[in-house]
């Protein structure tokens, strides 16, 4: 049975201009130049004054030959010839902001990566070593298959049988498991040491067996890795001393020898694609106790709408007769002018939002910016700043997650100034960063032979007036990437 229902729904949709502003707001300063250059290339109605020599007269027809007779003619169509609409109309829908930014805001801009330096990758390095070994065609292709099957850590996680099947089906190479095993042993002699291992234990043993076989420390290290790796990783040193009949001094030498090894040999030659240069978005200067906030000049480019495009639009718009081609020209030029204005407005709005947000953070954390002492950081959440500046929490989050401020005490990510509140026994609210600082100092000064357990750290904090549960201490310790007490133990 069919039914008709009348429903009202309240939906919030972002305009193309709002989406564009959101995208620009989360772009860090280091990437803003690139983003502006892309816009300048895509939209000829947008100009950068810093790239324009204002002292020179504007050239009316830069793409025309000055010796051409038509160039100097006063024919009424000469202005129309200046702009060939056929060259641009096919890109009309691509450069329109309404089509470039969808409602989800998930465009290619978020997926762009920083350019990386050209150098030999881990796999290229292995292939180069394989090329130097005199092999027949079959063994060479087996070696290539093994290298291509290694993961980013340099391990071979796939069974030999799977490699044999791959060779048969994909390369028509009929190989026995033993032949693949022999080639794997060859690749395990390549650099970096430990490459081609099938487990952590094998990786460590490959590295140890390439050391001096007559060294007694190396011999005992091999014995530990072969038979007592679990006890070693869990730092059950008492069991190791009893099982191997060693004193603490001998065991310390063995442990140090193993710790020198690389558990992930594949990482040695890899370029860190996520690492990028940090350029501060703000600068805070201390002028005799008065903080002065400035915005990085790169965030304030000198952009304007092209005068020639404005004049072109006025000329077309005032034309007494309009054919289909002229109407398309008017629509195209208007679209480019609107896009340029939207982009300039979004850049200005970005500057205002950045300064407004950072100024509120600076005023809230004034004592910290004066002293640089983390104990002066006040508890602050996104809502505190959002309420102060009258903006949405998501806007503050976009600024805090991707922007840096340079102070006389160092350069900080804005996100690092936000923290939860912890109440002391006296009723005073302090930042959890203060608690983390105390935890870090306690763990840094502990006796590594008897490291402090979470229960003991909880007692120390309570003695100092911080009534915090043990699970909270464990959470803070994990957030600082500090292992449990047993794994911090040293001989």
């Amino acid at each position: 049975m069919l039914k008709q229902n009348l429903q009202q729904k309240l939906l919030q949709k972002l305009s193309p201009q709002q989406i564009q502003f959101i995208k620009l707001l989360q772009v860090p300063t280091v990437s803003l130049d690139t983003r502006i250059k892309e816009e300048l290339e895509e939209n000829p109605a947008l100009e950068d004054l810093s790239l324009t020599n204002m002292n020179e007269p504007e050239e009316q027809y830069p793409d025309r030959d000055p010796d051409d007779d038509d160039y100097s003619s006063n024919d009424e169509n000469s202005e129309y010839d200046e702009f060939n609409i056929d060259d641009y109309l096919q890109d009309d829908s691509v450069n329109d902001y309404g089509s470039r930014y969808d409602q989800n805001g998930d465009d290619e801009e978020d997926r762009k990566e920083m350019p990386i330096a050209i150098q030999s990758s881990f796999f290229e390095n292995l292939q180069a070593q394989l090329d130097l070994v005199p092999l027949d065609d079959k063994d060479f292709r087996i070696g290539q298959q093994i290298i291509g099957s290694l993961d980013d850590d340099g391990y071979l996680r796939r069974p030999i049988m799977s490699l044999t099947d791959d060779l048969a089906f994909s390369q028509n190479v009929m190989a026995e498991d033993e032949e693949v095993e022999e080639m794997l042993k060859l690749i395990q002699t390549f650099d970096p040491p430990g490459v081609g291992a099938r487990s952590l234990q094998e990786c460590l043993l490959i590295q140890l067996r390439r050391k001096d076989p007559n060294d007694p420390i190396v011999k005992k290290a091999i014995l530990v890795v072969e038979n007592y790796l679990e006890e070693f990783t869990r730092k059950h040193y008492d069991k190791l001393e009893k099982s191997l009949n060693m004193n603490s001094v001998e065991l310390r030498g063995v442990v140090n020898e193993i710790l020198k090894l690389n558990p992930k040999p594949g990482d040695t030659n890899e370029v860190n694609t996520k690492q990028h240069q940090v350029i501060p978005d703000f600068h805070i200067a201390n002028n005799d106790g008065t903080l002065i906030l400035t915005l990085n000049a790169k965030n304030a480019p000198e952009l304007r709408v092209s005068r020639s495009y404005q004049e072109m639009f006025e000329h077309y718009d005032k034309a007494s007769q309009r054919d289909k081609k002229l109407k398309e020209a008017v629509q195209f030029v208007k679209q480019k002018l609107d896009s340029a204005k939207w982009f300039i407005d979004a850049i200005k709005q970005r500057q205002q939002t950045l300064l407004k947000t950072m100024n509120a953070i600076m005023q809230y954390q004034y004592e910290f910016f004066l002293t640089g002492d983390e104990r002066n950081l006040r508890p602050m959440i996104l809502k505190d700043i959002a309420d102060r500046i009258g903006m949405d929490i998501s806007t503050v989050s976009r600024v805090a997650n991707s922007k840096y401020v340079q102070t006389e005490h160092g350069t900080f990510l804005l996100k690092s100034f936000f923290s939860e509140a912890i109440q002391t026994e006296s009723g005073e609210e302090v930042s959890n960063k203060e608690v983390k600082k105390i935890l870090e100092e306690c763990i840094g000064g502990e006796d590594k032979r008897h490291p402090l357990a979470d229960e003991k750290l909880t007692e120390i904090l309570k003695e100092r007036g911080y009534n915090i549960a043990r699970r909270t201490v464990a959470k803070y310790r994990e957030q600082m990437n500090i292992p449990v007490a047993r794994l911090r133990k040293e001989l």
Side-chain angles (χ1 to χ4, degrees):
M1 184 176 178
L2 296 176
K3 287 186 179 181
Q4 284 186 330
N5 292 322
L6 186 63
Q7 288 184 326
Q8 277 189 328
K9 285 187 178 181
L10 185 62
L11 298 175
Q12 185 178 12
K13 288 191 175 182
L14 297 177
S15 68
Q17 295 94 320
Q18 289 173 316
I19 295 171
Q20 183 183 28
F21 166 67
I22 289 171
K23 289 294 177 185
L24 283 173
L25 187 62
Q26 60 194 25
V27 171
T29 300
V30 69
S31 304
L32 186 62
D33 274 348
T34 303
R35 178 68 187 88
I36 292 173
K37 286 176 183 176
E38 288 176 0
E39 199 65 34
L40 288 168
E41 290 174 0
E42 292 177 0
N43 191 349
L46 185 68
E47 289 182 350
D48 185 353
L49 290 178
S50 64
L51 302 177
T52 306
N53 189 345
M54 303 302 292
N55 297 324
E56 293 183 4
E58 291 185 8
E59 192 175 352
Q60 295 295 322
Y61 305 97
D63 295 328
R64 299 285 297 275
D65 187 351
D67 297 328
D68 194 332
D69 292 335
D70 291 337
Y71 175 81
S72 57
S73 70
N74 292 321
D75 184 74
E76 61 181 3
N77 292 326
S78 61
E79 240 179 48
Y80 186 82
D81 292 340
E82 169 193 354
F83 178 74
N84 187 355
I85 190 66
D86 292 334
D87 294 338
Y88 295 94
L89 284 178
Q90 61 184 354
D91 297 327
D92 186 89
S93 62
V94 177
N95 294 327
D96 169 32
Y97 287 125
S99 62
R100 280 182 59 200
Y101 296 93
D102 58 22
Q103 290 297 326
N104 295 323
D106 183 20
D107 56 24
E108 292 182 1
E109 192 171 315
D110 284 340
R111 295 189 291 271
K112 289 181 181 174
E113 294 188 5
M114 299 290 291
I116 60 175
I118 297 175
Q119 71 176 57
S120 296
S121 70
F122 167 67
F123 296 99
E124 289 171 342
N125 181 32
L126 291 177
Q127 184 61 51
Q129 294 178 70
L130 182 66
D131 292 339
L132 297 175
V133 181
L135 298 170
D136 58 35
D137 183 62
K138 182 179 179 181
D139 286 341
F140 182 78
R141 291 168 72 177
I142 294 173
Q144 283 184 315
Q145 184 70 31
I146 293 172
I147 290 173
S149 300
L150 301 179
D151 64 13
D152 290 337
D153 292 335
Y155 285 80
L156 180 66
R157 307 287 188 185
R158 304 185 63 209
I160 296 294
M161 186 182 299
S162 297
L163 296 184
T164 307
D165 292 341
D166 287 346
L167 285 164
F169 290 114
S170 64
Q171 299 193 41
N172 199 27
V173 175
M174 302 302 167
E176 299 294 331
D177 291 351
E178 292 76 13
E179 294 177 284
V180 178
E181 187 85 40
E182 284 300 315
M183 280 305 301
L184 177 60
K185 289 180 181 178
L186 172 66
I187 289 171
Q188 289 177 348
T189 65
F190 290 178
D191 288 325
V195 69
R198 286 160 287 187
S199 64
L200 174 63
Q201 184 180 47
E202 186 176 20
C203 179
L204 299 179
L205 286 173
I206 290 171
Q207 295 176 62
L208 285 170
R209 285 167 179 160
R210 291 177 67 168
K211 294 178 178 287
D212 183 4
N214 298 318
D215 188 335
I217 296 294
V218 173
K219 286 182 179 179
K220 291 177 180 177
I222 291 174
L223 189 61
V224 168
V225 173
E226 279 184 332
N227 303 303
Y228 303 99
L229 184 60
E230 185 176 352
E231 288 81 354
F232 172 80
T233 54
R234 294 180 178 275
K235 292 196 173 183
H236 292 156
Y237 296 138
D238 294 340
K239 291 183 180 179
L240 288 175
E241 287 179 5
K242 292 178 181 178
S243 300
L244 298 172
N245 194 23
M246 287 191 293
N247 57 41
S248 58
V249 176
E250 290 176 313
L251 184 59
R252 187 183 301 119
V254 171
V255 169
N256 290 337
E257 187 67 35
I258 297 173
L259 292 177
K260 292 177 187 176
L261 306 177
N262 185 4
K264 295 182 179 180
D267 285 344
T268 53
N269 290 330
E270 284 298 293
V271 177
N272 185 2
T273 57
K274 297 298 181 185
Q275 185 177 6
H276 61 84
Q277 183 182 5
V278 172
I279 295 179
D281 302 82
F282 311 95
H283 299 270
I284 293 181
N286 185 349
N287 186 8
D288 294 330
T290 302
L291 297 179
I292 300 172
L293 172 66
T294 55
L295 184 66
N296 189 320
K298 289 181 178 291
N299 288 294
E302 298 180 83
L303 300 176
R304 75 171 184 187
V305 177
S306 170
R307 292 177 185 172
S308 60
Y309 254 69
Q310 286 177 320
E311 293 169 359
M312 189 188 305
F313 176 71
E314 291 171 4
H315 169 72
Y316 290 150
D317 198 38
K318 291 177 182 177
S320 57
Q321 293 183 352
R322 290 190 182 182
D323 56 15
K324 182 180 178 182
K325 194 171 185 180
L326 187 56
K327 287 181 181 178
E328 289 176 341
V330 172
Q331 184 182 2
F332 172 80
V333 175
K334 183 179 185 302
Q335 183 189 85
K336 293 302 176 186
L337 290 171
D338 287 343
S339 296
K341 289 175 184 175
W342 290 351
F343 189 78
I344 293 171
D345 289 343
I347 290 288
K348 288 180 180 177
Q349 191 179 354
R350 178 183 186 272
Q351 296 168 19
Q352 294 167 359
T353 303
L354 291 180
L355 278 172
K356 203 172 183 180
T357 305
M358 185 63 232
N359 186 61
I361 293 174
M362 183 182 75
Q363 297 299 330
Y364 206 100
Q365 303 289 4
Y366 210 86
E367 284 300 315
F368 168 77
F369 288 115
L370 282 176
T371 63
D373 189 347
E374 286 190 1
R375 289 172 293 186
N376 289 329
L377 271 176
R378 294 172 58 192
M380 180 177 73
I381 58 176
L382 293 171
K383 189 175 184 299
D384 295 329
I385 301 301
D387 290 344
R388 282 198 172 200
I389 64 177
M391 291 186 178
D392 193 79
I393 291 176
S394 62
T395 302
V396 179
S397 176
R398 285 187 175 92
V399 175
N401 285 336
S402 59
K403 305 296 181 292
Y404 290 83
V405 59
Q406 182 177 318
T407 72
E408 60 182 4
H409 310 293
T411 301
F412 304 94
L413 181 65
L414 299 195
K415 186 180 178 180
S416 64
F417 301 129
F418 292 86
S419 59
E420 299 171 358
I422 296 292
Q423 197 166 39
T424 63
E425 286 185 349
S426 61
E428 180 187 2
E429 283 194 343
V430 298
S431 169
N432 63 4
K433 287 186 176 293
E434 183 174 328
V435 177
K436 289 180 180 180
K437 187 72 175 176
I438 295 171
L439 282 175
E440 191 176 16
E441 290 173 355
C442 291
I443 293 172
E446 69 187 1
D447 181 0
K448 295 302 178 184
R449 290 174 296 181
H450 305 286
L452 300 172
D454 290 343
E455 291 83 358
K456 182 61 179 176
L457 291 171
T458 305
E459 291 175 10
I460 293 173
L461 287 172
K462 285 183 179 178
E463 290 172 3
R464 299 194 184 188
Y466 303 98
N467 193 16
I468 299 174
R470 187 201 62 78
R471 63 179 178 275
T472 306
V473 171
K475 183 180 77 170
Y476 290 165
R477 175 180 52 71
E478 289 169 0
Q479 288 176 351
M480 294 187 291
N481 294 320
I482 298 174
V484 295
R486 178 170 50 78
L487 296 180
R488 300 199 305 271
K489 185 177 181 181
E490 296 178 4
L491 290 170

